[in-house]
């Protein structure tokens, strides 16, 4: 697919490090998008498995696949920035080697971007699958809109004040020139680099949100974000760096640093509570004050489902991460969508089936 001028319209960038076992699925899902990407750029971060062999075989099947090999392991953020430099498209999609795009992702996001040329990017929802427990859910936990919509910068600020984690970068198609203009992804932000720059773009230019599933997000304990969060010192350093950048950047409202800090602390605590066993070091690191420490220590002693519910309940009460009414409304809306999809579906491929199963355990 090309733009009216004949130039490249869409580039899909996939950073990869040792995901040879699942890389083929991710590339196939991208190649099956209609409309498809003009080019798929895989930046291999000096993998030590069979990733390059897999990619070379895939390039024979998909001529729009381009392989960029880094001479040494540079980390995910460096791989993303290299992919941005390599991309020639007007729009860029940044995926992950172990996730699966669902049919309709590019069709929906590109349509909204063409309809709203002022928007920096368009994003939608994801189905979350825990590779270790089999638990499934959906994100964002609260929708900013219940119909496809352009959110102007003022709308973005209004929504962020109530619900902070609805921008899902794994589903976002972004205007390349705007991302280049702000300098790409900041490595100092660690696993928050993509979320930070997309928040900044949304507050400066506005963005589009589409309430439909566009991705299967497969999470596991060895993923980049969860590995980072499992280290309380590294997590707090990232938090401090992000807050300092937010406070000194005029694009962000003056109140946003406090909202972001509450949501980030809750996110770290939720992942720690969901770990098997619960991550004691992180939970206790998040418990300043005798009351908080007593509650979370008690939750750790209880362990199991009861302990996790206790920890999450306390963290929700303390950090107030999102809108309770929004959680309820989004859950009801998704339940109706799932029932309608189940009634209308007469056949689907394996990727679509995962997206239309009943959604439980929504991530908050």
């Amino acid at each position: 697919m090309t733009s009216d001028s004949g130039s490249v319209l869409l580039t899909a960038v996939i950073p990869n490090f040792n995901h040879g076992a699942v890389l083929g699925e991710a590339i196939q899902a991208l190649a099956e998008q209609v409309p498809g990407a003009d080019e798929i750029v895989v930046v291999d971060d000096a993998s030590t498995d069979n990733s390059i062999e897999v990619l070379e075989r895939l390039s024979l099947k998909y001529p729009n696949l381009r392989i960029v090999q880094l001479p040494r392991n540079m980390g995910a953020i460096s791989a993303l920035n290299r992919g941005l430099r390599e991309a020639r498209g007007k729009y860029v999609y940044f995926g992950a080697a172990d996730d699966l795009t669902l049919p309709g992702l590019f069709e929906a996001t590109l349509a909204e971007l063409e309809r709203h040329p002022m928007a920096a990017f368009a994003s939608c929802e994801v189905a979350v699958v825990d590779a270790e427990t089999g638990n499934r859910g959906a994100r964002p936990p609260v929708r900013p809109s219940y119909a496809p919509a352009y959110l102007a910068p003022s709308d973005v600020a209004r929504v962020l004040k109530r619900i902070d984690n609805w921008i899902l970068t794994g589903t976002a198609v972004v205007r390349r020139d705007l991302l280049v203009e702000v300098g790409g992804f900041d490595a100092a932000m660690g696993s928050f680099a993509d979320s930070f720059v997309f928040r900044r773009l949304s507050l400066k230019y506005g963005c589009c949100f589409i309430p439909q599933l566009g991705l299967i997000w497969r999470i596991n304990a060895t993923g980049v974000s969860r590995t980072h969060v499992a280290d309380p010192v590294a997590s707090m350093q990232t938090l401090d760096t992000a807050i300092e950048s937010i406070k000194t950047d005029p694009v962000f409202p003056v109140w946003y640093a406090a909202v972001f800090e509450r949501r980030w602390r809750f996110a770290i605590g939720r992942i720690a509570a969901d770990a098997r066993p619960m991550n004691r070091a992180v939970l206790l690191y998040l418990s300043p004050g005798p009351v908080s420490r007593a509650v979370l220590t008690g939750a750790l002693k209880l362990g199991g489902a009861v302990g996790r519910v206790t920890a999450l309940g306390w963290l929700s009460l303390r950090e107030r991460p999102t809108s309770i009414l929004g959680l309820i409304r989004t859950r009801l809306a998704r339940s109706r969508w799932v029932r309608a999809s189940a009634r209308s579906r007469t056949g689907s491929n394996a990727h679509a089936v995962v997206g239309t199963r009943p959604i439980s355990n929504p991530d908050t």
Side-chain angles (χ1 to χ4, degrees):
M1 178 181 57
T2 56
S3 66
D4 294 339
S5 64
S7 59
V8 175
L9 184 64
L10 176 63
T11 299
V13 172
I14 306 294
N16 172 70
F17 178 66
N18 287 349
H19 280 105
V22 295
L23 190 55
E25 294 179 89
I27 299 301
Q28 180 183 346
L30 279 173
E32 291 175 353
Q33 289 287 320
V34 178
D38 295 285
E39 58 179 4
I40 301 172
V41 178
V42 178
V43 181
D44 186 79
D45 195 16
S47 292
T48 57
D49 66 353
N50 66 335
S51 289
I52 296 301
E53 296 174 17
V54 170
L55 287 168
E56 288 174 345
R57 288 197 300 270
L58 289 168
S59 67
L60 299 176
K61 184 176 182 180
Y62 304 114
N64 62 334
L65 173 62
R66 186 151 50 97
I67 307 166
V68 177
Q69 292 181 252
L70 300 184
R72 59 186 178 88
N73 185 264
M74 303 288 289
I77 307 306
S78 292
L80 287 172
N81 281 324
R82 176 62 182 272
L84 177 60
R85 292 194 297 271
E86 293 284 341
R88 297 174 295 180
K90 176 182 178 181
Y91 303 112
V92 185
Y93 167 76
F94 295 92
D98 53 347
D99 292 339
L100 297 172
T101 53
L102 290 171
L105 171 62
F106 291 165
E107 180 181 21
T109 51
L110 289 172
E112 288 300 305
L113 287 169
E114 292 294 303
R115 192 174 296 122
H116 302 285
M118 68 291 287
F121 62 88
S123 65
C124 56
E125 304 188 23
V126 304
V128 183
V129 179
D130 191 315
E132 296 170 345
T133 67
N135 290 339
R136 288 173 295 167
R139 293 182 184 172
V142 178
R143 288 172 171 172
S145 173
Y146 292 82
Y150 166 69
L151 302 174
S154 59
D155 299 320
V156 171
R158 174 179 51 80
V159 175
L160 284 175
K161 203 165 191 176
R162 297 182 296 111
I163 48 176
D164 179 49
N165 55 344
W166 50 271
I167 298 174
L168 300 172
T169 59
T171 68
V173 173
V174 62
R175 297 186 192 277
R176 179 174 60 87
D177 60 338
L178 297 183
L179 186 55
V180 170
E181 179 184 292
V182 299
F185 303 95
D186 184 354
M189 295 291 178
S191 62
F192 183 62
D194 54 344
S195 296
F196 179 85
V197 73
F198 276 84
R199 278 170 170 78
R200 192 178 189 281
L201 287 171
S202 68
L203 285 164
K204 188 172 183 178
Y205 301 101
C207 64
C208 297
F209 177 79
I210 307 150
Q212 74 177 53
L213 290 175
L215 181 76
I216 298 172
W217 183 8
R218 297 191 284 202
I219 61 175
N220 59 76
T222 60
V224 173
S225 61
R226 293 209 164 196
T227 300
H228 184 78
V229 167
D231 182 344
V233 175
S235 296
M236 292 303 110
Q237 286 176 342
T238 298
L239 176 60
D240 291 342
T241 300
I243 288 176
E244 183 62 26
S245 295
I246 289 168
K247 287 181 175 179
T248 57
D249 190 331
V251 171
F252 291 93
V254 293
W255 47 261
Y256 182 65
V259 170
F260 168 75
E261 181 174 7
R262 289 201 313 269
R263 207 278 302 173
W264 180 258
R265 290 176 67 89
F266 176 81
I268 295 171
R270 178 189 55 78
I271 293 174
D274 282 342
R276 275 33 173 201
M278 289 190 286
N279 190 321
R280 181 182 183 86
V282 172
L283 285 175
L284 293 183
Y285 199 94
L286 293 170
S287 53
V291 175
S292 184
R293 192 169 188 84
V295 173
L296 292 176
T297 298
L300 288 163
K301 289 180 179 178
L302 286 169
V306 175
R308 280 189 287 275
V309 169
T310 302
L312 287 172
W314 174 253
L315 289 167
S316 298
L317 181 65
R318 179 182 174 84
E319 306 297 349
R320 306 185 309 281
T322 193
S323 163
I324 300 300
L325 290 177
L327 284 170
I328 295 170
R329 185 182 178 191
T330 297
R331 182 65 180 268
L332 290 173
R334 285 191 177 129
S335 296
R336 289 193 292 270
W337 181 87
V338 168
R339 288 195 296 270
S341 297
R343 286 195 299 269
S344 64
R345 178 163 50 87
T346 58
S348 61
N349 61 29
H351 303 336
V353 168
V354 175
T356 56
R357 288 175 181 166
I359 295 170
S360 60
N361 188 31
D363 179 34
T364 57

